[in-house]
Amino acid sequence: MTGFSKLSLIGKRATDLFDGESRGRLSAALQQIVESGAFDSREMLMRTSDDDVTLQVLMNLDAVRDDKGRVISCRATWTDVGDIYYLQREN
């Protein structure tokens, strides 16, 4: 989807994959999931490896908890919704 190789992503922060304003929204989303364990889907702009293309994505986060209920990690999924927005603008 993004064109990044697995090797090129090692050592990068998740925020490095997002463009401009979306970086701040991702940071806020991660803070929200740590504090409350809840997160609503958000639209974001994700960078591609060539920096010429930005993907419109819908991001979902799920908290991963330990046996005491503390958030220890999160799972993220990103769905490319660019075609949906393109089609909506055409109509």
Side-chain angles (χ1 to χ4, degrees), residues 38-65:
F39 176 78
D40 294 324
S41 299
R42 294 189 188 162
E43 296 171 14
M44 306 223 176
L45 295 176
M46 189 174 215
R47 292 180 40 232
T48 58
S49 61
D50 60 12
D51 278 336
D52 288 337
V53 179
T54 304
L55 299 173
Q56 182 83 29
V57 297
L58 184 64
M59 183 181 72
N60 292 293
L61 291 176
D62 292 309
V64 177
R65 299 175 183 276

Side-chain angles (χ1 to χ4, degrees), residues 5 13-16 18 22 30 34 37 40 54 56 66-67 79 89:
S5 70
R13 299 175 57 87
T15 53
D16 293 342
F18 289 86
S22 293
L30 293 171
V34 166
D40 294 324
T54 304
Q56 182 83 29
D66 64 11
D67 57 349
T79 304
R89 280 181 284 188

Side-chain angles (χ1 to χ4, degrees), residues 24-43:
R25 290 197 318 228
L26 176 59
S27 294
L30 293 171
Q31 186 65 34
Q32 178 183 345
I33 202 147
V34 166
E35 291 173 359
S36 69
F39 176 78
D40 294 324
S41 299
R42 294 189 188 162
E43 296 171 14

